[in-house]
Amino acid sequence: MTDYDAKGLLSAVAAELADIRAGVDEAGGLVSELLRLAPPEQRLTYLTRMQAFDVLSQRVDALSGLAGALAADQPMDTALAALPLAEMADRLRELTFRVKPTSSAAPAAVSGDLLLFD
């Protein structure tokens, strides 16, 4: 079995994600500048589409925080519970613990047949 530095890797991933976040922010700033040059009738459409940069930033921040928390020996369930994006936390929790998502948006799990009258 090969030994590896999981904490070091998670710290490096957190740093990489922080760098990516800076790039996303820079691209978002550029798009904002270009948006000012767009014709007024198209600005709302472009502004709505530009919100994708904000979502990307939030997702990158969340993953960076998760990697940093795990590198600092925080328990997995605590680190996942601290994620600010509930849908992401549910997806990762489901993969990590093999459980169904806990958010109210998720459908209820079916556990089997219910026999009311025999």
Side-chain angles (χ1 to χ4, degrees):
M1 181 172 201
T2 304
D3 289 329
Y4 61 92
D5 181 10
K7 288 182 192 179
L9 176 61
L10 288 169
S11 291
V13 167
E16 287 291 326
L17 289 169
D19 285 345
I20 292 169
R21 166 63 192 261
V24 170
D25 285 347
E26 190 174 317
L30 174 62
V31 171
S32 290
E33 289 177 36
L34 294 173
L35 181 61
R36 285 186 220 121
L37 302 173
E41 62 274 3
Q42 292 179 329
R43 284 186 189 153
L44 183 59
T45 300
Y46 291 149
L47 182 62
T48 302
R49 292 175 64 191
M50 194 181 116
Q51 289 175 340
F53 280 102
D54 184 50
V55 172
L56 287 174
S57 294
Q58 289 177 39
R59 292 178 70 196
V60 169
D61 278 347
L63 289 175
S64 179
L66 176 64
L70 294 174
D73 283 332
Q74 198 171 73
M76 180 73 72
D77 56 343
T78 304
L80 287 171
L83 281 174
L85 304 173
E87 290 177 12
M88 178 185 281
D90 284 347
R91 284 192 309 271
L92 294 175
R93 189 177 295 109
E94 183 176 358
L95 290 171
T96 304
F97 297 110
R98 299 290 181 213
V99 297
K100 295 293 181 197
T102 58
S103 74
S104 60
V110 176
S111 60
D113 294 331
L114 174 63
L115 183 61
L116 291 176
F117 301 103
D118 194 326

